[in-house]
Amino acid sequence: MGRPAGQAPERRPLGERPAHRAHRARTRRGARRAPGRTRRRVARRILDALHNRDGGPKPETVITDTASYSDIVFGLFAICGYQFSPRIADIGDARLWRTHATADYGPLQEASRHTVRLDRVRAHWGDMLRVAGSLTTGEVRGYDLIRMLSRDGRHTGLGDAFAYYGRIFKTLHLLQFVSDTGYRRMIGKQLNITEARHRLARKIFFGQRGELRQHYREGMEDQLGALGLALNGVVLWNSLYLDRAAKQLAADGFPVTDDLLARLSPLQFDHINFLGRYAFFRPQEPGRRPLRDPADAEPAV
């Protein structure tokens, strides 16, 4: 179950969290940080995708790379009940924020010189909750909302409140990222899985050099829908036969451990032939193909 709007996400120990779902935004290779306009555009898409899901459990943790990181985005995810966990490329330049100007933060005293203006958050708290409700119910799109909260590179009053609110959770994220090896490993693992999904999609979408060539929105959506269908077909095929192969190995006495199964991925495609003609026909006999000996030289699926 997801959290109610306005309830801050609880940062539980890693082993106690439910499964994580990665929503990754890609940046150009070698770029240290995407321009502000690009980051805002990516964040809008992620927010809209989260609140327009077709079904399934609500993710509690959103993992991205640097392209979607901003203080306002941290605030919007937090107030909607999500834990935002981006992998920040320039983490050494990131600021740590405190909530009490005169408090003693021990070893972090010098690093946390900037103070969150809680008075601005309190002044706009009612509007912030209404924004969270509108996002959750779909009354407003994240695309339009982030554009309204920041105009011409300057935050509005409400945007400023969201930015200060987000800095609290950004600081918590930075501290956990630096101190918790498991947390860093979890973020990297999820981003690697998402990149593997992108590699498979690029392999399938080889026609027209992988470019959307339709000049109207419906045509582009048709192309992307067909790509998703083909990708899901490959993943389903791989999942069925990985499961069957694992059961056969276990029956033959091979030690199929949980650690081994955790390393399997249905996103592999070396055995798939993406070129040539595609023939779709109903098999003469129901059931799946028999497993073949890996030593036998046979053409790809």
Side-chain angles (χ1 to χ4, degrees):
M1 295 295 292
R3 302 181 188 86
Q7 180 177 342
E10 178 187 0
R11 304 185 73 85
R12 290 174 288 174
L14 187 62
E16 299 178 7
R17 295 178 194 163
H20 303 273
R21 182 174 298 177
H23 294 266
R24 181 174 185 268
R26 299 177 57 233
T27 55
R28 293 179 299 167
R29 188 181 301 274
R32 280 183 56 80
R33 189 168 181 175
R37 183 174 298 178
T38 301
R39 296 199 306 274
R40 290 191 295 270
R41 187 183 304 120
V42 172
R44 296 168 192 166
R45 293 173 179 172
I46 296 174
L47 280 169
D48 288 335
L50 284 173
H51 292 104
N52 291 279
R53 304 187 319 277
D54 294 332
K58 176 183 175 181
E60 291 192 3
T61 302
V62 180
I63 301 173
T64 72
D65 60 13
T66 305
S68 55
Y69 147 66
S70 75
D71 294 339
I72 287 182
V73 172
F74 265 102
L76 287 172
F77 277 120
I79 203 169
C80 290
Y82 299 101
Q83 178 177 326
F84 187 44
S85 300
R87 182 171 59 186
I88 301 175
D90 50 355
I91 191 171
D93 299 328
R95 293 178 176 180
L96 299 181
W97 293 76
R98 59 171 65 201
T99 55
H100 299 283
T102 60
D104 184 3
Y105 286 83
L108 300 176
Q109 182 70 13
E110 292 298 321
S112 56
R113 297 180 178 180
H114 305 277
T115 304
V116 174
R117 294 287 303 273
L118 295 177
D119 57 324
R120 298 190 182 182
V121 177
R122 295 189 188 100
H124 292 86
W125 186 246
D127 291 333
M128 293 170 67
L129 290 179
R130 282 187 281 273
V131 165
S134 298
L135 269 176
T136 303
T137 59
E139 293 297 324
V140 63
R141 297 189 306 165
Y143 181 91
D144 299 321
L145 176 61
I146 296 181
R147 187 171 54 181
M148 290 187 296
L149 294 176
S150 181
R151 297 177 180 175
D152 299 326
R154 298 173 61 90
H155 295 164
T156 63
L158 183 57
D160 205 33
F162 268 111
Y164 277 117
Y165 185 66
R167 286 162 186 159
I168 299 173
F169 298 95
K170 181 185 75 172
T171 300
L172 293 174
H173 164 66
L174 292 174
L175 293 174
Q176 186 173 5
F177 190 88
V178 170
S179 62
D180 190 340
T181 303
Y183 186 62
R184 293 195 303 272
R185 187 180 295 116
M186 180 269 293
I187 292 175
K189 180 179 178 181
Q190 291 296 329
L191 291 178
N192 290 339
I193 291 174
T194 309
E195 181 54 39
R197 187 266 182 199
H198 291 332
R199 285 197 298 270
L200 175 57
R202 287 193 294 268
K203 190 70 175 180
I204 295 174
F205 195 17
F206 61 85
Q208 300 289 350
R209 295 182 298 179
E211 298 176 355
L212 292 173
R213 295 298 184 92
Q214 299 292 345
H215 298 288
Y216 53 96
R217 176 178 175 181
E218 290 77 7
M220 292 183 182
E221 290 177 344
D222 289 342
Q223 283 186 274
L224 292 174
L227 173 61
L229 177 62
L231 191 148
N232 289 339
V234 172
V235 171
L236 176 60
W237 174 281
N238 287 342
S239 299
L240 291 174
Y241 281 91
L242 280 174
D243 178 70
R244 187 175 178 184
K247 291 179 178 178
Q248 183 63 51
L249 287 172
D252 293 341
F254 186 85
V256 181
T257 63
D258 292 339
D259 182 66
L260 178 63
L261 293 175
R263 297 175 183 272
L264 298 178
S265 171
L267 296 170
Q268 302 300 319
F269 53 81
D270 291 342
H271 59 295
I272 305 292
N273 179 21
F274 296 98
L275 304 177
R277 293 180 176 272
Y278 303 105
F280 298 94
F281 55 89
R282 187 183 300 275
Q284 296 180 353
E285 297 181 1
R288 301 176 189 141
R289 297 182 181 180
L291 296 174
R292 64 181 179 87
D293 190 333
D296 296 337
E298 291 187 10
V301 176

